[in-house]
Amino acid sequence: MSKILVTGATGGLGSAVVNALLAKTEASNIAVLVRDAAKVETLKEKGVSVLVGDYSDFDSLVAAFQGIDKLYFVSGNDIHNRIPQQENVVKAAVAAGVKHVVYTSFQRKNETATSPIAFVAEGHLKTEEWLKASGLTYTILKHGLYTDLLPMFVGEQVLETGVIYQPAGDGKTAFALRTDMAEAGANVLISEGHENKIYNITGAKTYSYQDIANIISEITGKQIIYVSPSVEEFTKTLTEVGVPAEYIGLFAGFSGAIKEGEFDEVSSDLADLLGRTPVDAETFLQGVYGK
């Protein structure tokens, strides 16, 4: 069996991939890369190898990648430093002789600077280019938006306010559950036939925020309405209630991308990799709001 290394193992996606792998292969086949080994003591107790490294420290990556056959490369969350960090990961994988890199990229249509999410896109696009030019065997997983983010996007107080307030217009999104994406990634890691392939990892259907409002209304019996302001009004309103500028920009960027149709493409790739239909938004929202 190949030796698999999962980066970002203390984060939501990386930890979910490790959990999926533990259900499919022996712990001795799995390693994790973390900055703080103390945070994954339970994994070590299960027999998972724990390696310490940092995307900003090239030498630590080369050392950690020794003897690794397959690397599950979770994209970094430090947007400002993502480009040099991820270049380090690709170069270190080459230097260490990693056989296969599985990279978590993003779903998109617009790859230009005019995209509302250009601020997060650049690092992904460059990393894909580096992988293709590196000589490494790669698999690129173009992840759509997590269904898990819906409670944050609709607002923690949505049942109290009765309003979903996002500048996304009538745009639709093929939301997919993070654990489904993680299981699909684990299946790629433990099987063959994915060499130099690109998969679009989306849910099986698309939803607008009006659809989400209708679903939550049906689940809770409370009427939820969807209001789509202009970006300027959205920014002004959230600034006045004290929301930090970086969060406003993040929400506005993703809503703008939704409005422009960046995430409205449905692919069967996730279902094919899972061998089943992905969990839909109705099921997820029932679990959140049907209590």
Side-chain angles (χ1 to χ4, degrees):
M1 179 67 191
S2 299
K3 188 68 174 183
I4 297 167
L5 174 61
V6 178
T7 73
T10 58
L13 178 61
S15 61
V17 172
V18 174
N19 288 337
L21 285 170
L22 285 169
K24 299 171 184 290
T25 188
E26 297 295 325
S28 58
N29 296 323
I30 307 167
V32 295
L33 181 75
V34 295
R35 286 178 292 183
D36 183 356
K39 292 184 177 180
V40 290
E41 196 62 37
T42 55
L43 290 180
K44 188 174 182 179
E45 292 170 357
K46 292 179 180 179
V48 173
S49 299
V50 175
L51 305 170
V52 176
D54 190 303
Y55 285 1
S56 295
D57 184 345
F58 176 79
D59 290 339
S60 74
L61 297 175
V62 174
F65 294 169
Q66 296 298 318
I68 297 301
D69 297 305
K70 294 186 177 181
L71 172 67
Y72 188 86
F73 175 11
V74 177
S75 56
N77 58 12
D78 182 353
I79 302 299
H80 296 296
N81 297 302
R82 178 186 275 174
I83 290 174
Q85 288 178 341
Q86 298 198 169
E87 187 174 21
N88 276 345
V89 176
V90 175
K91 288 183 175 179
V94 172
V98 173
K99 294 187 174 72
H100 189 163
V101 176
V102 178
Y103 175 61
T104 64
S105 193
F106 78 119
Q107 181 185 11
R108 76 277 185 171
K109 294 178 182 176
N110 182 356
E111 296 187 349
T112 75
T114 64
S115 169
I117 53 171
F119 63 100
V120 299
E122 186 180 10
H124 286 301
L125 297 175
K126 285 185 178 295
T127 303
E128 290 185 17
E129 292 172 2
W130 293 327
L131 283 170
K132 291 174 183 177
S134 68
L136 293 163
T137 297
Y138 63 83
T139 304
I140 294 170
L141 305 176
K142 293 165 63 175
H143 284 181
L145 289 183
Y146 294 153
T147 317
D148 315 60
L149 296 177
L150 277 172
M152 180 179 71
F153 285 142
V154 305
E156 293 181 358
Q157 306 302 317
V158 66
L159 298 185
E160 287 73 23
T161 65
V163 177
I164 296 174
Y165 188 73
Q166 287 286 350
D170 298 324
K172 293 199 169 192
T173 301
F175 290 104
L177 203 61
R178 179 162 48 198
T179 51
D180 276 352
M181 294 185 180
E183 183 180 343
N187 287 342
V188 169
L189 290 165
I190 62 169
S191 61
E192 303 302 323
H194 310 290
E195 294 80 7
N196 300 331
K197 290 188 176 181
I198 299 173
Y199 295 112
N200 294 300
I201 307 299
T202 77
K205 58 192 289 191
T206 60
Y207 303 83
S208 67
Y209 275 121
Q210 184 61 61
D211 295 329
I212 299 302
N214 293 343
I215 293 167
I216 297 175
S217 296
E218 184 174 349
I219 291 170
T220 63
K222 177 179 175 61
Q223 184 179 12
I224 307 297
I225 64 171
Y226 167 50
V227 175
S228 180
S230 67
V231 171
E232 292 75 20
E233 182 183 345
F234 177 79
T235 301
K236 181 176 182 290
T237 300
L238 268 62
T239 300
E240 288 174 350
V241 297
V243 177
E246 58 267 31
Y247 288 107
I248 297 174
L250 185 70
F251 291 144
F254 277 101
S255 281
I258 291 171
K259 186 175 184 177
E260 293 185 7
E262 289 293 289
F263 309 116
D264 70 356
E265 182 178 348
V266 170
S267 168
S268 65
D269 289 349
L270 178 58
D272 292 342
L273 291 171
L274 290 172
R276 60 173 172 81
T277 302
V279 175
D280 58 26
E282 289 89 342
T283 301
F284 172 78
L285 292 170
Q286 179 67 44
V288 174
Y289 298 107
K291 299 173 182 178

